[in-house]
Amino acid sequence: MPSSNIQKSIRHSYQCLQSQLDNFIPRRSQNYLVAEIAKTLCGDHHKSNRTIVAEAGTGIGKSLAYLMAAIPVAVHNNRKVVISTATVALQEQLVNKDLPLYRRLSDREFSFILAKGRQRYCCAEKLATACGADGGQLAMFETKPKKVDVELFERMYKAFAQSKWDGDRDSWPTPIKDELWQIIVSDKHSCNNSMPAHRGCPFQKARSELDKADVIIANHSLVMADVNLGGGVILPEPNNTIYVFDEAHHLPKVARDHSSAAASLKGAASWLERLNQSITKFSGLADEKRVARFRNELQNSVQELIPSLKQLSKQFDPTLFEEKQYRFEHGDLPSWLEEESKQLKVLSNKANQAVGKIADLIAERVKDGELSSRLAEPALAEIGFYIQRTENLAQVWNLMAEPKREKRRSSRPLVRASSRTRRRHHC
């Protein structure tokens, strides 16, 4: 049974709800949902497996029901609540309506915050580079940048520097095109809070605020991203958190997407050529004796990957494709592609590990005071692009080269496909 304090808190909020809302009509189904959630979280039904799956019709007040039940349990037990949704509309409803209402009803003090993924924030260092402030601008663009795009980056950089913009994509006054945002978006490789220039980055500031909140509103994608990282990296520690998955019917697709990878064959060959041209520049910032091995490994693997990917893009018969995509039946690859995938897996993993090691050696020299941050940080921002891309490429070929599994109920299904329009492989 929930403790007397938790029961008292739930009753108090429900009584206040009746006085706060005109023409309030008690709903039996809502009361039942509140009670069952509270009992489940307190271990009434099962001491260790405290999970409840609930379905209820529109209009019974599901959001308020789980807030009334989960927050008192969490506050009483010094735990966090993560509410995960599938849509922005529900997040806005929770932040702007339901949670402020419940806070007025509750006898417990609690704070709440909207959590966004790293991809909603720009990297201040990348933004500076993209508008030409730090040099190295051209390396960030696949083609020569348009004047209007550079001018946009300059306005954003000025607004951020003057604290008139917080670096959140959603708070910029006009929509930002995806292809432009991807140039300056924060990523785990180049936007590292161990580097002085990144400690005040938009994502790092937002992340520090999450730690202070009692209730965090997230989305399914962000929760899955945290799970993939081991839990407790982006969001609070799972063992100290009560999760509420609203709109849970969207979870399977989101979970599947977070276990997949995709790459353009011709596009990968293009950025690998640019990486090949920059290897000497990057390795020149690290200790020569220590970096030589990784520089050679990177050069060798990149120089084998480029012709292999180019050749592979020519080997697919266009007549095999229907509706722009070819799905390999049961995930089984033809023998020639299976062998090619194994080789590409080895090469892409070597490239990813080597470029990561070079970045580590550069960062180590900065930490030891042997290299100035002014020289290192633009290079680390650029190399972060390549770490991210080689990591994704390695993930694609790891999945493509995965051995055929026995047909067991417990085995995870594997889907492999190629797209005609961009010659993409995803798993």
Side-chain angles (χ1 to χ4, degrees):
M1 282 287 291
S3 70
S4 58
N5 285 337
I6 293 173
Q7 290 179 8
K8 180 182 176 182
S9 185
I10 292 173
R11 281 196 301 269
H12 174 84
S13 61
Y14 198 77
Q15 288 165 0
C16 288
L17 179 63
Q18 296 181 58
S19 62
Q20 286 264 341
L21 298 181
D22 295 332
N23 304 316
F24 174 80
I25 300 174
R27 300 184 184 103
R28 184 177 179 184
S29 52
Q30 186 184 47
N31 292 338
Y32 179 71
L33 186 56
V34 172
E36 286 304 303
I37 293 173
K39 288 177 184 177
T40 301
L41 294 177
C42 292
D44 276 27
H45 299 308
H46 197 286
K47 289 194 178 295
S48 57
N49 185 10
R50 303 187 182 191
T51 304
I52 180 171
V53 178
E55 182 178 9
T58 302
I60 75 152
K62 295 186 293 291
S63 301
L64 206 52
Y66 61 65
L67 295 178
M68 284 183 172
I71 292 177
V73 174
V75 172
H76 182 75
N77 292 285
N78 196 29
R79 300 174 76 181
K80 304 274 190 178
V81 176
V82 169
I83 303 170
S84 179
T85 76
T87 63
V88 173
L90 181 52
Q91 287 185 327
E92 290 176 346
Q93 177 189 315
L94 286 163
V95 171
N96 299 322
K97 180 183 174 184
D98 295 339
L99 279 161
L101 170 60
Y102 177 67
R103 189 154 59 181
R104 294 197 301 272
L105 307 176
S106 179
D107 60 349
R108 303 293 177 102
E109 290 291 328
F110 69 91
S111 58
F112 61 87
I113 191 172
L114 176 63
K116 298 182 180 182
R118 185 188 285 273
Q119 286 74 28
R120 304 311 297 176
Y121 299 94
C122 80
C123 170
E125 186 70 22
K126 284 185 184 179
L127 180 59
T129 303
C131 66
D134 290 347
Q137 181 188 45
L138 290 178
M140 302 186 73
F141 296 87
E142 294 202 1
T143 58
K144 185 178 179 180
K146 297 177 183 177
K147 184 181 178 182
V148 65
D149 295 337
V150 175
E151 288 174 348
L152 172 62
F153 287 137
E154 288 172 348
R155 291 197 303 274
M156 295 167 75
Y157 181 66
K158 183 178 179 181
F160 179 75
Q162 295 177 349
S163 300
K164 294 179 180 178
W165 179 52
D166 59 3
D168 182 340
R169 182 179 185 176
D170 302 314
S171 64
W172 185 253
T174 57
I176 304 169
K177 293 178 182 177
D178 287 343
E179 58 268 27
L180 294 180
W181 184 254
Q182 289 307 313
I183 292 170
I184 61 169
V185 69
S186 172
D187 70 81
K188 63 182 178 180
H189 301 296
S190 58
C191 191
N192 190 328
N193 66 355
S194 65
M195 302 296 294
H198 293 280
R199 287 172 190 157
C201 255
F203 175 73
Q204 306 299 345
K205 287 182 178 179
R207 180 66 184 86
S208 65
E209 291 300 312
L210 280 186
D211 295 333
K212 304 172 187 175
D214 301 304
V215 179
I216 298 165
I217 303 93
N219 59 36
H220 299 339
S221 183
L222 186 60
V223 175
M224 289 298 107
D226 191 51
V227 169
N228 285 347
L229 292 171
V233 178
I234 304 171
L235 299 170
E237 285 290 336
N239 290 339
N240 195 41
T241 301
I242 294 172
Y243 291 92
V244 178
F245 290 98
D246 205 334
E247 302 176 317
H249 55 289
H250 293 280
L251 262 179
K253 181 182 183 301
V254 176
R256 183 198 67 195
D257 290 345
H258 274 273
S259 300
S260 67
S264 164
L265 296 177
K266 289 183 178 179
S270 177
W271 61 256
L272 281 167
E273 286 175 344
R274 294 199 300 276
L275 171 58
N276 191 43
Q277 295 165 5
S278 302
I279 292 173
T280 302
K281 177 182 72 174
F282 294 142
S283 57
L285 295 173
D287 180 81
E288 173 58 28
K289 290 182 180 179
R290 298 178 66 191
V291 82
R293 169 192 161 195
F294 303 114
R295 179 185 60 222
N296 294 338
E297 285 182 2
L298 182 56
Q299 286 175 331
N300 292 338
S301 56
V302 166
Q303 288 165 13
E304 285 189 63
L305 277 167
I306 293 170
S308 296
L309 293 173
K310 285 182 176 179
Q311 182 60 34
L312 186 58
S313 69
K314 301 174 183 177
Q315 286 183 252
F316 289 98
D317 181 356
T319 62
L320 293 174
F321 295 89
E322 294 180 11
E323 298 181 358
K324 299 182 180 180
Q325 189 177 76
Y326 178 77
R327 292 169 68 92
F328 298 102
E329 190 173 357
H330 305 302
D332 296 336
L333 303 180
S335 56
W336 66 268
L337 183 53
E338 190 175 341
E339 290 306 310
E340 190 74 25
S341 298
K342 291 176 183 177
Q343 180 65 15
L344 289 167
K345 170 186 174 180
V346 172
L347 292 172
S348 56
N349 277 315
K350 280 185 178 179
N352 180 238
Q353 291 165 8
V355 75
K357 288 289 187 181
I358 292 172
D360 289 343
L361 290 172
I362 295 171
E364 194 174 307
R365 284 196 72 202
V366 176
K367 187 177 179 181
D368 293 341
E370 297 173 2
L371 182 67
S372 72
S373 296
R374 183 182 61 82
L375 291 174
E377 285 170 357
L380 286 171
E382 187 181 343
I383 204 172
F385 279 106
Y386 295 118
I387 295 173
Q388 192 172 25
R389 287 167 176 167
T390 55
E391 184 179 79
N392 180 69
L393 190 65
Q395 176 70 355
V396 167
W397 293 111
N398 283 334
L399 288 168
M400 290 292 283
E402 194 166 316
K404 184 178 179 180
R405 299 167 185 163
E406 294 179 15
K407 292 182 179 178
R408 298 193 306 267
R409 242 185 191 180
S410 59
S411 65
R412 180 168 54 97
L414 182 64
V415 177
R416 294 186 262 223
S418 176
S419 168
R420 182 178 62 191
T421 52
R422 297 184 62 195
R423 295 285 196 254
R424 294 167 68 89
H425 287 274
H426 58 85
C427 307

